Amino acid sequence: MSKKPSGDPIRWLTPDEERAWRAFRRMMIAVQTGTARDLARVGLSEPDYEVLSTLSERPDHAGTLHEQAAKMGWSRSRLSRHATRMEARGLIRRAPDPADGRGCLLILTDHGLDTLIDAAPAHLESVRHHFIDRLAPEDLTALEHIARKVESPDETHQP
């Protein structure tokens, strides 16, 4: 681990903060492991499902590689390699992006849409089993509120 560049003291986590952080990490790992395992049973990975479901919601079932990579928190090169594997399986195809000569569009194929439609019930059941059904409505509301705070951090709180 690198040292903090400034002379400011390190703000160690309090015991309550550390418990909350570790609980969050355990929750994320448990849910992600469960849903990934369940998707694998229907022949898809979580990234496959993310790409297919995102494209299915877009006009013309197409989106740019750049937009999809940003949505997933991936580099364009990482998504490009993954898209190559999905393309080989007939789930998506690529086309030049008319708005960006260096970019490309990812386009959902009929086979990709059929695959998504077939996988969706199993995925939804998995999300319910590993997450939704374990929480009360007020827990879901609180999580949504927390997520909004974390997904768009205030620029003044950046390290």
Side-chain angles (χ1 to χ4, degrees):
M1 185 190 290
S2 64
K3 293 182 180 180
K4 192 171 181 185
S6 71
D8 296 338
I10 297 172
R11 294 180 54 218
W12 295 104
L13 299 179
T14 67
D16 288 344
E17 291 169 337
E18 186 169 347
R19 276 192 310 279
W21 171 247
R22 290 177 186 262
F24 169 76
R25 294 289 301 145
R26 285 191 306 273
M27 177 187 69
M28 290 296 298
I29 291 166
V31 171
Q32 195 165 31
T33 300
T35 56
R37 182 183 56 242
D38 294 343
L39 272 174
R41 289 184 185 131
V42 295
L44 293 174
S45 68
E46 285 186 313
D48 291 340
Y49 195 88
E50 180 70 21
V51 170
L52 295 176
S53 64
T54 299
L55 292 176
S56 76
E57 296 165 353
R58 294 193 177 245
D60 301 323
H61 292 169
T64 68
L65 181 107
H66 176 74
E67 290 168 336
Q68 186 67 41
K71 182 178 190 277
M72 295 173 69
W74 284 18
S75 68
R76 284 189 287 185
S77 63
R78 180 179 179 191
L79 180 57
S80 181
R81 288 188 301 275
H82 189 79
T84 297
R85 293 187 295 274
M86 291 181 73
E87 194 171 22
R89 292 163 49 208
L91 300 171
I92 62 170
R93 68 181 177 83
R94 295 188 216 208
D97 182 354
D100 179 2
R102 297 172 297 155
C104 75
L105 295 175
L106 301 178
I107 303 166
L108 184 63
T109 63
D110 290 341
H111 174 63
L113 182 58
D114 290 343
T115 300
L116 176 65
I117 290 168
D118 290 344
H123 179 62
L124 291 170
E125 180 58 34
S126 180
V127 169
R128 286 198 167 284
H129 174 74
H130 296 289
F131 186 68
I132 299 295
D133 291 346
R134 296 175 183 223
L135 302 172
E138 58 272 14
D139 296 332
L140 295 171
T141 300
L143 275 170
E144 185 180 0
H145 179 74
I146 292 165
R148 273 192 239 111
K149 287 182 174 182
V150 174
E151 70 188 19
S152 300
D154 182 353
E155 295 301 316
T156 60
H157 289 96
Q158 295 293 324

